[in-house]
Amino acid sequence: MSSPTEESHLNQTQMQNQAARFRKRRRLQVLFLALFGVLCVVSFFLDNAVIRFVAEHRTKPIRNLAGIISNYGDWPWLMLYTLPFLLWAWWKKRPGLLRLVATMIVASTLAGAVTNTVRLTTGRTRPNNVKVEPGWYGLRHDGKWLLGQNKYSSFPSGHTATAFGFFTVLAFRRTRGSFLWLVPAVIMAASRVILDAHHLSDVCFGAWLGLIAAWWLCTRKVGRRIALPTSRTL
């Protein structure tokens, strides 16, 4: 039978090992986010090539499917989808699941808020805006304010940011194959490009902002308990 001193030393060692693993995981996550940021910069050079590729291979069924995904995967619908899980978690007294879903909601909302704030100032034309020359027009063009003008709010993609913020929280959980939760977010990003609603760089930067929002929440002191439980703790 171990003494209290030995048990205390063992607990302290376990806590130190856990802290070391967390720091290592966090460094890897920061590296991933930095590399993704570089990819976002590179994506600007691929915008026109992607637009041409999509135009050559897009079919009506694919476009219709992209429209459905884009419509029913936007932020209001994501919030609606979480409602049954919130109610069930509250009814069954499952605080782990309740905190997890709440973090998904906050991450998605935060990513969307930051993205919408940024694109109010960029004035980038959408690929389907054929009335003016493609470019970045800022807040004002031809004597008119562009705030709230949908055709001038391409960068970055709000749909993509909210989707990545939402699903990245699940991807950060320590479960096998959790990274597959990013697939719905990638599909959302692809749908926006297929619809000519965004350039490749728009969705890349939207995804980056969503990843950062979710990562920031999940690495807070409270977020480590909220967003990184295993399935056994829910």
Side-chain angles (χ1 to χ4, degrees), residues 29 167-174 178 211 214-215 218 227-228:
Q29 291 168 352
F167 289 106
T168 298
V169 174
L170 291 173
F172 276 155
R173 293 180 62 230
R174 296 192 300 270
S178 59
L211 288 167
W215 172 82
C218 292
L228 297 177

Side-chain angles (χ1 to χ4, degrees), residues 13-28 174:
T13 302
Q14 290 176 343
M15 291 178 63
Q16 290 175 347
N17 291 338
Q18 185 178 7
R21 287 195 298 270
F22 174 77
R23 288 192 295 269
K24 180 180 179 181
R25 186 165 56 247
R26 186 168 183 176
R27 286 195 295 268
L28 290 174
R174 296 192 300 270

Side-chain angles (χ1 to χ4, degrees), residues 123-127 129 132-137 151-152 154 199 202:
R124 190 184 194 185
T125 55
R126 294 183 183 270
N129 185 359
V132 296
E133 285 293 321
W136 306 70
Y137 292 90
K151 293 292 186 179
Y152 294 88
S154 185
H199 304 85
D202 299 335

